[in-house]
Amino acid sequence: EFKVITLTDEDWKAVHELRDVRYGNWDWNIGRSPKFNLQRTRRFPIGEIDLRLDVEKGHIKEAKIFGDFFGFSPVSELEEKLTGIRYEPEDIATALADVDVHDYFGALPKEDF
């Protein structure tokens, strides 16, 4: 048999405070996570893009881009822009804000990259 516990408003306030202070922040959720790698491969009309990221302590330690696309600029420039930043959509978008993806991948819309 289970005992049902009803939380009071004060209990809920403490739960939400603990969530916000300790568990609801970037450092807890990403920054302290174990290192991992990520591979995303997708085919576009311009060719295939294979993006590989090594993430450690929530930061991109290494980025590599492979594929059969044709661009004018070396993708190593993009890899350098991604290396060292936090693995967060906002941080990645900021790092790539001034990038013209056409230079690297041809006629690929930026939002697809």
Side-chain angles (χ1 to χ4, degrees), residues 11-75:
D11 293 334
W12 279 113
K13 183 179 176 184
V15 167
H16 290 136
E17 184 178 335
L18 181 61
R19 177 202 60 200
D20 294 342
V21 172
R22 181 161 181 158
Y23 302 113
N25 62 60
W26 180 86
D27 189 52
W28 175 265
N29 290 298
I30 304 293
R32 294 185 184 184
S33 65
K35 62 182 174 178
F36 64 93
N37 55 33
L38 175 74
Q39 179 179 359
R40 295 285 185 260
T41 304
R42 187 167 168 201
R43 175 145 304 275
F44 299 95
I46 55 93
E48 183 176 274
I49 297 176
D50 178 1
L51 173 66
R52 300 176 189 199
L53 302 176
D54 288 332
V55 180
E56 189 172 318
K57 295 184 180 175
H59 289 78
I60 299 172
K61 183 177 178 183
E62 184 177 20
K64 293 306 256 178
I65 302 170
F66 303 98
D68 59 0
F69 48 84
F70 292 100
F72 300 107
S73 300
V75 294

